[in-house]
Every structure is written in structure tokens, then in C-alpha cells.
Amino acid sequence: MNATPRQTSDEAKQIVVDIVDRSTAAIGGEWTVRSGPAVQACALPSGGSGAAFAYIIDRAAGGDPSADVAILKALWEREGIATEVYKNSGSDPVGGMRGTGGPTTSIDLYADPKGYTVEGLSVCTEGDAAEMQRNGE
């Protein structure tokens, strides 16, 4: 395993924004940024501390959750992201999909007919997350 991150912090930030934005564009609707891209601490494969970026976007009600999951499954798998479709338990189960790998650490779609969320987390890169936060990241 290569212990050196493949992406710089700036690249990781742009890549997670790009895959989240392409995901939301693929299923359409009006999306609002809830958070980010925000830097957070993470563990590097070498055991040191690094920086990753989380980006979360929400959409109001609308859409067809099953169809939208299928659209993003195809998009994410083309990007090398392993996908897992799920439905939570309960009287009114909400579906979605988790993705791992590819250009991100993880990406998730929460496909509730009452509103959707797409949340991406970049790979962990070299960098001091606390210092980056102090500098406005």
C-alpha cells in the first residue's frame, strides 16, 4: 500500500466538490449547500494526521428515489466508486446509497421523498487541518 496521498489538499477539495456537484446535476432539482467544503482532521495511511474535506448538499422534496439511486449508481461506478444500495428500517423506510473508494473516501445519497442529501468526503491528504481551519478553509 502506498502511504503517500495521491492528491494534494487543494486537489482533494476540488475532486469532492466536483463529484458531489456532478451527482446532484445528474438527478436534477434545486440544491442548497448545507456545509463545506469544510476541512477536517483525518488519519493518513502512514499513521500521521492529515486533512480531508466534507461537502454536503440538500434538495427539497421531489424526484423518484429508486430512479435517482440507479442514475447515481451508474455515475459512481464509472468513477471507480464501490456502491451499496440500502433502505433503513422503520415504518416508512428511506432509501439511499453509500459509495466508497474511487476519487473520494466516501459519498452518500440519502433519497428521502421529503428531501435528498448528497454528502462527500475527500481522501485524506497531507496537511494540518487545524491550521487550514485557522486560515479560512
Side-chain angles (χ1 to χ4, degrees):
M1 172 188 246
N2 184 358
T4 304
R6 300 172 303 203
Q7 302 168 3
T8 67
S9 292
D10 286 341
E11 290 169 337
K13 179 180 178 180
Q14 186 55 51
I15 288 168
V16 77
V17 168
D18 179 61
I19 190 68
V20 169
D21 286 349
R22 286 190 295 126
S23 297
T24 58
I27 55 179
E30 273 192 49
W31 294 83
T32 304
V33 175
R34 182 193 321 169
S35 175
V39 68
Q40 61 187 45
C42 58
L44 290 166
S46 63
S49 184
F53 292 86
Y55 188 44
I56 306 171
I57 298 186
D58 299 312
R59 184 182 84 184
D64 177 343
S66 295
D68 293 337
V69 165
I71 289 167
L72 289 191
K73 183 174 177 51
L75 172 67
W76 293 356
E77 288 177 351
R78 278 195 309 271
E79 294 292 327
I81 298 169
T83 61
E84 176 189 356
V85 177
Y86 68 85
K87 275 200 178 191
N88 64 8
S89 60
S91 60
D92 192 13
V94 174
M97 183 172 52
R98 293 178 193 91
T100 57
T104 67
T105 293
S106 65
I107 188 165
D108 296 281
L109 166 67
Y110 306 97
D112 186 332
K114 298 174 190 163
Y116 283 23
T117 298
V118 176
E119 179 176 341
L121 180 64
S122 77
V123 297
C124 189
T125 65
E126 299 277 343
D128 182 332
E131 181 179 335
M132 294 168 84
Q133 288 170 343
R134 285 191 297 275
N135 292 331
E137 286 287 340

